[in-house]
Amino acid sequence: MMHTKTPHLNSIMIPIAIWLVFGFAGIAKSQGPVFIGSPDIFESTLTKNDIKDIFMGKKKKWVGGKGITLTVNDQTDIEKTFTKAYLRKTPAQFINFWKYQIFVGNGNLPKFFTDENQLIDYIEKSEGAIGYISSDPPKEKKVKKFIIAD
Amino acid sequence: MKKYVFIITIILISCSVSMAVDNDIHIHGFISQGFLQTDHNQFIQNSENGTFQFNEMGLNFNTQITDDLHLGIQFFASDFGDIGNDKITVNFARASYYYRQWLSFHAGINKVAFGLHGDTRDLDMIRPTIFLPSGVYPESFRDCLNSAKGLEFRGNWRPTMPEFQDILGEFNYTIQCGIMDINKESGVGRVLAKAFHTDSEYSESDTAINMIFNWEPPVPGLRLIGQYAKFGYNLGGKTINDIFWQSRKEDALSDMAPTINPESISVTNIPVDYDGYIEEILFGFEYSWQDLVFSFEHVKHIHDFDITVDVLFLPDTTLPITVPFENNSVGFYYMFSYRHTDWLKFGAYYSVFYPNEEDKKGNGLGTNAGRPDYFAWQKDSCLSFRFDFNRNCSLKLEGHYLDGCAQLDDTVKIEPDEYFETNRYWYLFAAKISYNF
């Protein structure tokens, strides 16, 4: 009996092992979004719910009372990763959500950037701005990197 | 003429706005043009021959005055057969004050929140289908139930402690209080005049209260909704000469005064007044998983009125008689949509509407007198395809298979002798192209 089962088990276990090794390696390689903000923002740590509330327009002010200026990194890969991981939406659903907000009078559209360097420059020079980028910001840029807690 | 000036304004602004990126006043707008055709029945005027009287356009201006204060105004015009006729209206014009995440105030003309999708009715670019399910979102109601002048409070809340968040999830609420403009030419005015078999001469509404609660339980992608709305309404005019009023007279005489000669009393073309209120109770849910969204909603409209008829005893004596009138209409739908690629999305729904909950089979009770039985229901099966050329432009194509005509005469006036010329089963094809910026 054992002789007949072992090859069958191997045929299942080997692909799973391969997937675990390479799959996790792939996941480990793909970096999630890095959240950055203007240097005048008091907060250093944000929760995932804070991120969701901010990018869904529910939380509009920082702790000190300063208004939040939203930016969106409009590069396909990072936008997809961000909207899926933090908002449980697709990029199309996220854009649609903001169009809805505009046309029912609930606020202004976030600022969209297709160039990450321009986004970083904008956040550095603006007050209360937040955005996400694909990797750590250059050291010479005076932007705050948020710690994200669960 | 105004329509074309409005369109040209939208086009000019859409061309220039991309240059004014950092302007403090944000300008956005949209235009959509549709086409409708039915194989039988006039869904809107001339729909059997195909009609382009089906469009929307809007232009809005938003500005953030301070970190707390936001101003916005949106001008809107639409045409849907006899409804709208491209008359420019203010869709919303409001000042919004953000206090905390759990409370913001909005004063002015607010969009009326209704169900999961009610406030997207004018926004073709937002939703997967051209028509919202008519069982819950009747097209005829859009012109007057879209906006209300008054106050709005909204906010969201979740427990601060993570362990409670995992149990309770998140709550959102919207409370609105204000006046809706329900004039006699509006969709609601026409629907009620039809239900009451009356040529309306005046129509006015009292202050409305509208409360919506959303709960996002700790099940990712799930959202539950509950809503209660109530508004007072007064409509008056003259009774029309049809079988409805004739049968009411015969019923009344046989019950109360069988000795009176029916020929000595007239109940047609005499003054009638309806005073009462309408309540709406809605519940539903939406579940989204990746590119798939499934939703269900059920609504019940409760009409509770006192009808005062100035019964004419020939030749010239009138006697006002007041009787209560109660009627509940119900509707529901199931809908799903799926985004297959960045440019292709498809959706489908099944929507049902009964104008009289007590008479779902059209046995002739109440308001259905003088109409075929299939005016007691409308069941709509819809399949829709949406093609996104880019983020700003889309084309939608959709087909509907309808059983019943309960909402047919909401948008087109049908003469009493034309009701039996309608078809129970009919198809509707719709196409719409939309642009927004």
Side-chain angles (χ1 to χ4, degrees):
Chain A
M1 288 293 282
M2 287 299 288
H3 282 289
T4 54
K5 266 193 172 179
T6 308
H8 176 63
L9 275 176
N10 283 345
S11 66
I12 295 170
M13 294 304 290
I14 289 169
I16 289 174
I18 292 170
W19 182 83
L20 284 171
V21 172
F22 291 96
F24 272 115
I27 290 167
K29 272 184 187 174
S30 67
Q31 208 175 0
V34 174
F35 291 91
I36 57 169
S38 304
D40 62 323
I41 297 169
F42 175 78
E43 288 93 329
S44 298
T45 302
L46 297 173
T47 65
K48 283 188 172 178
N49 277 333
D50 288 334
I51 294 291
K52 183 184 166 195
D53 290 345
I54 288 169
F55 280 88
M56 298 296 279
K58 291 175 179 173
K59 182 182 170 80
K60 296 186 176 183
K61 287 199 289 192
W62 296 108
V63 167
K66 193 179 290 294
I68 296 175
T69 302
L70 268 186
T71 68
V72 173
N73 189 337
D74 209 8
Q75 292 178 339
T76 309
D77 290 343
I78 188 68
E79 190 177 21
K80 198 177 275 185
T81 309
F82 163 69
T83 55
K84 186 178 179 185
Y86 288 86
L87 312 180
R88 283 191 56 84
K89 288 185 182 295
T90 63
Q93 288 169 339
F94 179 62
I95 301 292
N96 246 8
F97 169 81
W98 273 104
K99 282 182 183 171
Y100 163 78
Q101 297 295 324
I102 300 307
F103 291 120
V104 297
N106 279 346
N108 293 329
L109 204 64
K111 290 193 178 298
F112 284 76
F113 292 88
T114 49
D115 182 332
E116 215 164 79
N117 291 322
Q118 283 181 5
L119 185 150
I120 296 167
D121 286 345
Y122 178 83
I123 287 179
E124 187 181 21
K125 291 170 188 164
S126 303
E127 290 188 353
I130 182 173
Y132 56 89
I133 51 179
S134 53
S135 57
D136 285 350
K139 284 180 182 166
E140 67 273 16
K141 296 290 181 186
K142 293 176 183 168
V143 292
K144 172 173 284 190
K145 181 185 169 187
F146 290 108
I147 298 163
I148 306 300
D150 279 332
Chain B
M1 185 63 190
K2 280 181 183 171
K3 173 186 175 182
Y4 298 110
V5 171
F6 193 39
I7 291 171
I8 291 166
T9 307
I10 291 174
I11 293 168
L12 288 175
I13 290 174
S14 71
C15 294
S16 61
V17 84
S18 57
M19 291 181 279
V21 172
D22 287 317
N23 218 336
D24 287 333
I25 295 177
H26 299 257
I27 304 169
H28 299 277
F30 56 89
I31 295 180
S32 64
Q33 177 61 57
F35 174 79
L36 273 177
Q37 184 150 20
T38 51
D39 66 336
H40 301 295
N41 303 334
Q42 300 284 20
F43 181 52
I44 60 174
Q45 227 171 22
N46 295 323
S47 67
E48 274 190 278
N49 299 321
T51 178
F52 286 98
Q53 283 194 332
F54 181 34
N55 59 268
E56 290 125 6
M57 58 198 99
L59 186 61
N60 89 35
F61 302 83
N62 285 287
T63 188
Q64 194 74 35
I65 304 291
T66 65
D67 287 337
D68 307 311
L69 188 61
H70 176 266
L71 297 183
I73 184 167
Q74 181 160 286
F75 299 99
F76 178 74
S78 68
D79 191 16
F80 186 67
D82 284 342
I83 298 175
N85 293 320
D86 291 319
K87 184 182 167 193
I88 298 171
T89 57
V90 176
N91 217 201
F92 64 78
R94 65 184 198 167
S96 304
Y97 180 79
Y98 177 89
Y99 176 63
R100 295 280 191 278
Q101 190 169 336
W102 52 270
L103 180 63
S104 62
F105 306 93
H106 309 264
I109 300 173
N110 295 299
K111 296 269 283 183
V112 174
F114 183 71
L116 292 166
H117 309 290
D119 47 8
T120 71
R121 186 192 290 281
D122 298 332
L123 312 175
D124 186 68
M125 78 297 275
I126 302 296
R127 56 178 188 266
T129 57
I130 294 174
F131 289 108
L132 288 170
S134 60
V136 173
Y137 304 100
E139 281 300 311
S140 52
F141 286 11
R142 65 180 296 177
D143 59 341
C144 51
L145 298 189
N146 255 2
S147 305
K149 199 180 289 183
L151 294 173
E152 177 182 312
F153 306 89
R154 64 164 59 207
N156 88 305
W157 177 84
R158 73 163 66 82
T160 46
M161 297 178 74
E163 52 269 38
F164 286 110
Q165 285 176 17
D166 292 342
I167 300 167
L168 295 176
E170 182 181 334
F171 299 88
N172 300 278
Y173 72 89
T174 303
I175 298 173
Q176 298 177 312
C177 180
I179 291 278
M180 294 178 288
D181 180 19
I182 308 180
N183 61 62
K184 74 184 180 75
E185 298 301 327
S186 67
V188 171
R190 290 161 56 142
V191 167
L192 291 171
K194 177 198 76 177
F196 297 143
H197 295 248
T198 296
D199 275 334
S200 58
E201 292 173 352
Y202 57 86
S203 162
E204 55 189 40
S205 57
D206 295 336
T207 302
I209 182 85
N210 184 25
M211 297 179 283
I212 293 190
F213 297 95
N214 264 288
W215 178 38
E216 294 176 27
V219 177
L222 182 62
R223 180 161 68 118
L224 291 92
I225 186 170
Q227 176 170 8
Y228 174 78
K230 182 177 182 179
F231 60 94
Y233 185 66
N234 177 230
L235 178 134
K238 288 193 171 162
T239 58
I240 61 175
N241 185 9
D242 70 356
I243 192 171
F244 174 82
W245 284 107
Q246 296 293 350
S247 60
R248 296 288 87 72
K249 183 177 87 172
E250 285 161 15
D251 291 347
L253 286 177
S254 63
D255 287 350
M256 295 185 295
T259 56
I260 291 179
N261 176 11
E263 299 300 319
S264 66
I265 294 176
S266 174
V267 293
T268 57
N269 201 30
I270 58 171
V272 62
D273 180 87
Y274 303 87
D275 196 21
Y277 62 85
I278 297 172
E279 286 177 288
E280 295 170 333
I281 300 167
L282 177 145
F283 61 87
F285 73 89
E286 181 180 77
Y287 178 69
S288 60
W289 181 69
Q290 296 186 1
D291 289 303
L292 181 70
V293 181
F294 179 78
S295 55
F296 165 81
E297 283 183 285
H298 181 282
V299 69
K300 181 171 186 171
H301 299 269
I302 299 165
H303 307 92
D304 195 341
F305 285 86
D306 284 332
I307 307 176
T308 303
V309 190
D310 289 342
V311 177
L312 177 62
F313 290 85
L314 295 171
D316 56 6
T317 307
T318 59
L319 179 66
I321 296 175
T322 299
V323 290
F325 173 88
E326 288 179 18
N327 177 58
N328 299 337
S329 63
V330 291
F332 64 87
Y333 74 86
Y334 308 93
M335 177 163 68
F336 88 89
S337 65
Y338 179 72
R339 180 171 285 281
H340 182 59
T341 64
D342 285 345
W343 57 271
L344 175 63
K345 188 172 190 177
F346 50 84
Y349 63 71
Y350 178 65
S351 166
V352 175
F353 178 71
Y354 297 108
N356 185 352
E357 191 183 24
E358 304 290 315
D359 185 17
K360 290 181 178 174
K361 293 187 176 174
N363 292 327
L365 288 174
T367 57
N368 283 311
R371 290 165 199 174
D373 59 356
Y374 53 82
F375 272 77
W377 66 84
Q378 187 161 306
K379 299 170 185 178
D380 182 359
S381 305
C382 167
L383 182 62
S384 177
F385 296 89
R386 173 180 169 144
F387 306 91
D388 287 295
F389 302 122
N390 53 48
R391 279 186 181 173
N392 303 101
C393 190
S394 65
L395 169 70
K396 294 184 202 171
L397 304 172
E398 76 183 32
H400 295 252
Y401 172 68
L402 293 113
D403 171 10
C405 298
Q407 292 169 310
L408 189 64
D409 52 356
D410 292 356
T411 47
V412 175
K413 185 170 183 182
I414 301 176
E415 297 300 329
D417 57 342
E418 292 175 342
Y419 278 98
F420 285 90
E421 293 171 14
T422 56
N423 284 56
R424 173 178 168 177
Y425 300 102
W426 48 298
Y427 287 93
L428 164 69
F429 169 75
K432 204 169 201 184
I433 189 160
S434 296
Y435 172 75
N436 70 85
F437 63 91

